[in-house]
């Protein structure tokens, strides 16, 4: 009888041991599955967020040069009409994240900087140029650079950048919803988010 009890006890220990190992394997499998799902979903969020705006402006260009001991001068001038399309973009494929499986934390390590692109359509009107001072390629390049700098200032002073940031935050909130639904925590620069509205205060 004693041998039977010892044998039965050993069998039970073996059964419980196998069940314990199986449960641990199931936990590990679930964790790996969750990790793979998180990685895939974050990758899906990694798209290009683009906000567009148009800017119109009229410029006047004047250039005068002196010749022969400043006795003679040669001038060139033009009226320039510009219609420019400007975009502010965040390439979220460059979003750097780290998945901490042990603590169930998704860390955002780096958010890509904004990319501003300006494409001006430049048209010249009322062009006047003297023989000794005519428009050259270097003039057009200089005018274009000045126009792009002017438009960039307008972009900085417009709502285009803030609108792009709002769209970026909206994409980051999708990551928060995903992690929160799966029981994980989202973290950025040692800040843990308890709700999606906290992301609106994020410092880019």
């Amino acid at each position: 009888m004693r041998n039977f009890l010892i044998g039965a006890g050993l069998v039970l220990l073996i059964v419980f041991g196998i069940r314990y190992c199986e449960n641990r394997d199931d936990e590990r499998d679930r964790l790996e599955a969750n990790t793979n799902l998180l990685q895939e979903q974050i990758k899906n969020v990694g798209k290009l967020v683009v906000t567009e705006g148009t800017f119109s402006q009229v410029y006047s260009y004047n250039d005068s040069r002196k010749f022969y001991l400043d006795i003679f001068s040669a001038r060139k001038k033009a009226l320039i009409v510009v219609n420019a399309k400007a975009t502010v973009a965040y390439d979220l494929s460059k979003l750097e994240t780290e998945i901490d499986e042990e603590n169930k934390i998704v860390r955002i390590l780096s958010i890509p900087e904004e990319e501003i692109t300006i494409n001006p359509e430049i048209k010249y009107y009322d062009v006047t140029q003297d023989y000794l001072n005519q428009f050259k390629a270097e003039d057009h390049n200089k005018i274009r650079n000045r126009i792009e700098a002017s438009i960039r200032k307008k972009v900085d002073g417009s709502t285009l950048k803030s609108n792009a940031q709002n769209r970026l935050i909206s994409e980051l909130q999708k990551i928060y919803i995903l992690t929160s639904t799966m029981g994980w925590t989202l973290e950025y620069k040692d800040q843990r988010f308890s709700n999606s509205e906290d992301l609106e205060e994020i410092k880019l």
Side-chain angles (χ1 to χ4, degrees):
M1 184 69 179
R2 182 179 178 184
N3 290 335
F4 173 78
L5 291 174
I6 293 173
L10 288 173
V11 170
L12 287 174
L13 284 173
I14 292 170
V15 170
F16 281 124
I18 292 172
R19 290 284 176 84
Y20 174 76
C21 291
E22 287 178 347
N23 289 336
R24 288 196 62 182
D25 287 342
D26 287 344
E27 275 187 29
R28 185 166 59 250
D29 289 344
R30 284 197 296 271
L31 182 59
E32 288 177 355
N34 286 345
T35 301
N36 291 335
L37 178 60
L38 279 167
Q39 289 173 333
E40 188 63 28
Q41 292 300 316
I42 291 172
K43 183 178 178 181
N44 290 338
V45 173
K47 62 182 181 180
L48 188 65
V49 177
V50 181
T51 304
E52 294 184 347
T54 55
F55 299 86
S56 299
Q57 190 73 42
V58 178
Y59 299 87
S60 60
Y61 178 78
N62 291 278
D63 179 76
S64 179
R65 294 186 180 182
K66 300 288 186 179
F67 297 92
Y68 303 110
L69 302 176
D70 294 343
I71 297 174
F72 300 103
S73 63
R75 301 184 62 190
K76 58 187 171 190
K77 62 180 181 178
L79 187 68
I80 303 168
V81 177
V82 178
N83 290 299
K85 178 183 289 186
T87 62
V88 179
Y90 289 93
D91 186 356
L92 292 183
S93 66
K94 298 177 182 177
L95 184 72
E96 295 181 12
T97 59
E98 176 185 79
I99 293 181
D100 182 346
E101 297 181 9
E102 183 177 352
N103 298 302
K104 291 189 175 182
I105 297 173
V106 174
R107 293 188 181 91
I108 298 176
L109 302 178
S110 175
I111 297 174
E113 294 184 0
E114 63 188 20
E115 300 172 5
I116 300 176
T117 304
I118 298 171
N119 294 306
E121 179 185 346
I122 302 172
K123 293 183 178 181
Y124 290 79
Y125 297 93
D126 296 332
V127 177
T128 301
Q129 53 188 345
D130 293 335
Y131 178 76
L132 294 176
N133 190 14
Q134 298 189 16
F135 279 97
K136 299 178 182 178
E138 61 188 39
D139 292 303
H140 297 297
N141 290 335
K142 181 168 61 176
I143 290 169
R144 185 183 183 88
N145 290 337
R146 289 180 179 178
I147 287 172
E148 288 186 0
S150 176
I151 297 297
R152 187 173 292 272
K153 287 183 179 180
K154 291 182 180 296
V155 171
D156 290 339
S158 72
T159 59
L160 199 59
K161 293 177 72 172
S162 60
N163 289 342
Q165 289 179 359
N166 289 338
R167 291 191 59 188
L168 168 66
I169 290 171
S170 178
E171 294 300 318
L172 296 179
Q173 286 174 332
K174 292 179 182 179
I175 298 177
Y176 167 79
I177 292 171
L178 172 67
T179 55
S180 178
T181 300
M182 297 177 67
W184 286 54
T185 301
L186 183 63
E187 183 179 286
Y188 177 61
K189 292 184 176 179
D190 297 326
Q191 179 183 0
R192 295 187 178 183
F193 302 101
S194 58
N195 57 68
S196 60
E197 285 74 21
D198 287 346
L199 282 161
E200 295 177 3
E201 306 299 324
I202 198 169
K203 293 183 180 180
L204 302 175

